[in-house]
Amino acid sequence: PLLEQILVSKPQQQLLATALGVVAERGWRLPDPLLVRVLNETAYRHEERDAVLGVIDERAAAVLRDHPVWGKRVEPLVSLPGGDSGDDSVWRLGTTAQRLAYFRRLRAQDPAAARTLMVASWKKERAEAREGIVEALATGLGEADLPLLEMAITDRSGGVRQAAALVLLHLPGSGLVQRAEALAASHMKVTKRFLRTTRVDCRPIEVTDEVLRDEYGERGTGDPSRADVGPPSARRAAAGYPPALLEEVVGRVPIDRWPALIGLSAGQLLEAEVTFEGKPLDLSSALFTADRRGSGALIEACTADAFKRGDLDRFTDMRRYWPYPYSAEHSRRMVSFLRSTLNSHRPEDIGYWTTQETTRLPVSCHAAVLPEALALMEETSRPDSASSFVTDAVEGLRLRLRLEALRTHPA
């Protein structure tokens, strides 16, 4: 009944992935008619695809193999004749999708075994498989994976190189990260001024073959199609946008490394007067991007400070960096903000941002804060004047509470 309530209500369908996650977590099986409804409802909604695949067993996957939409998606779930999806015969004989699904499962269960499997088969793999294997290394990532990733970043396939670069960013000891640190330290000059804001002067980074090897974006290093004749690095440099390359370098530096590199913390760099060849340069996006790969402490500190000072512009601007779903602390902060805003404005004066955050609250709110969020939103939802998106949010919070209760409910 709970899943059916979510399916029949358009505003509550955002809870579908959460509901299917509970089904998969508890090991339950959806009745065939209900599974068909879920499949039909989510056929073209990419955001719920993984959640749906999590409740499809091998029997259902076999039935769906010829489905025009789901056929390709369920392929990794279908075992080979005479075997099962966990059998290593899948790795030896399966399709690329089946083999990658097997590798991801093995990587989650035994990273070392998956690493051994990768080494043994790497040279004969196609580019699509090599790229998928590298992406899977992000699970259970450790220093032992460095040699494999350093090899992958020199691969002949651009997709494999880019995948390797993204994974290497999560290993502070990697050569890719250390080269970014060296570039940042050598191209940023700090001047501390008495009673004035610290100044950081940045200069262009030369686009060398080594920089190109580390897979920096074309916006900073230049689009090859726009380049003139000459050596690759020279052609790319002529077509690039130098400030973007420096920003990407900054975005690759772990947040806690800045004091050792330039004598400023990430927070101090954020508040400094930064220039690039004399023109103002905003490094906040690059710093927050790096912080998302780490603890998120800088994002949390800036968000909390903006909330405390009542700086709505800064608070809302930080939204794109918030981890999702929200932490318990940020959920309480957001509920407080929404209640204050909704109570102090007429429905017609409430902005798009507040409406969107209220609508998303049933999904974004931390599970521990749900009872508090529901109580506060119920106070805001007056029967005579509440907007439909507020009443929808209240109903969504009630459904989410019931879903969370099922996680621990006796079978």
Side-chain angles (χ1 to χ4, degrees), residues 16 35 42 85 91 138 176 181-182 195 221 231 262 271 304 341 387 403:
L16 186 55
L35 178 59
T42 59
S85 58
W91 178 252
L176 180 137
E181 292 178 0
L195 297 180
T221 60
I262 63 173
E271 299 300 325
T341 303
S387 300
L403 286 172

Side-chain angles (χ1 to χ4, degrees), residues 276-343:
F276 187 93
E277 294 191 306
K279 297 180 180 179
L281 179 66
D282 183 2
L283 292 179
S284 61
S285 180
L287 290 168
F288 291 141
T289 296
D291 192 39
R292 290 181 72 174
R293 289 195 302 273
S295 67
L298 183 64
I299 295 171
E300 170 60 26
C302 292
T303 300
D305 178 67
F307 182 76
K308 183 178 180 180
R309 293 187 292 103
D311 185 346
L312 183 59
D313 289 339
R314 181 63 180 272
F315 183 69
T316 54
D317 188 54
M318 292 297 300
R319 180 191 186 207
R320 54 190 160 142
Y321 305 109
W322 293 336
Y324 191 84
Y326 298 152
S327 66
E329 185 173 357
H330 187 61
S331 293
R332 291 188 179 93
R333 187 186 297 134
M334 182 55 65
V335 170
S336 174
F337 167 79
L338 292 176
R339 183 183 64 163
S340 174
T341 303
L342 293 170
N343 283 337

Side-chain angles (χ1 to χ4, degrees), residues 175-190 200-206 210-211 214 216 242-243 245-255 257-264 269 274-276 281 283 286-287 290 293:
L176 180 137
V177 171
Q178 292 175 355
R179 289 188 290 273
E181 292 178 0
L183 286 172
S186 60
H187 289 79
M188 301 172 73
K189 178 184 176 181
V190 176
V200 180
D201 296 296
C202 306
R203 60 188 181 87
I205 296 171
E206 181 184 359
E210 185 177 68
V211 167
D214 281 348
Y216 284 95
L245 178 55
L246 184 103
E247 289 177 41
E248 191 171 357
V249 166
V250 170
R252 292 186 174 193
V253 175
I255 288 296
R257 291 287 296 147
W258 287 108
L261 296 176
I262 63 173
L264 297 179
L269 178 56
V274 182
T275 64
F276 187 93
L281 179 66
L283 292 179
L287 290 168
R293 289 195 302 273

Side-chain angles (χ1 to χ4, degrees), residues 53 56-66 70-87 89-90 93-95 97-99 101-102 105:
L53 292 175
I56 297 177
D57 57 20
E58 278 198 35
R59 182 191 59 80
V63 172
L64 290 167
R65 287 192 70 170
D66 296 323
W70 287 100
K72 202 69 177 170
R73 300 174 188 174
V74 302
E75 184 182 329
L77 304 177
V78 181
S79 62
L80 298 178
D84 63 60
S85 58
D87 191 332
S89 63
V90 173
L93 305 172
T95 64
Q98 290 172 326
R99 296 177 71 246
Y102 174 86
R105 285 194 297 271

Side-chain angles (χ1 to χ4, degrees), residues 103 106-107 110-120 137 140 142 144-145 148:
F103 186 84
L106 181 62
R107 179 68 181 183
D110 188 344
R115 191 161 49 243
T116 301
L117 196 63
M118 172 186 174
V119 171
L137 292 182
D145 298 309
L148 302 177

Side-chain angles (χ1 to χ4, degrees), residues 140-155:
L141 187 64
E143 296 297 319
D145 298 309
L146 262 177
L148 302 177
L149 289 166
E150 296 287 7
M151 172 186 67
I153 203 169
T154 64
D155 194 271

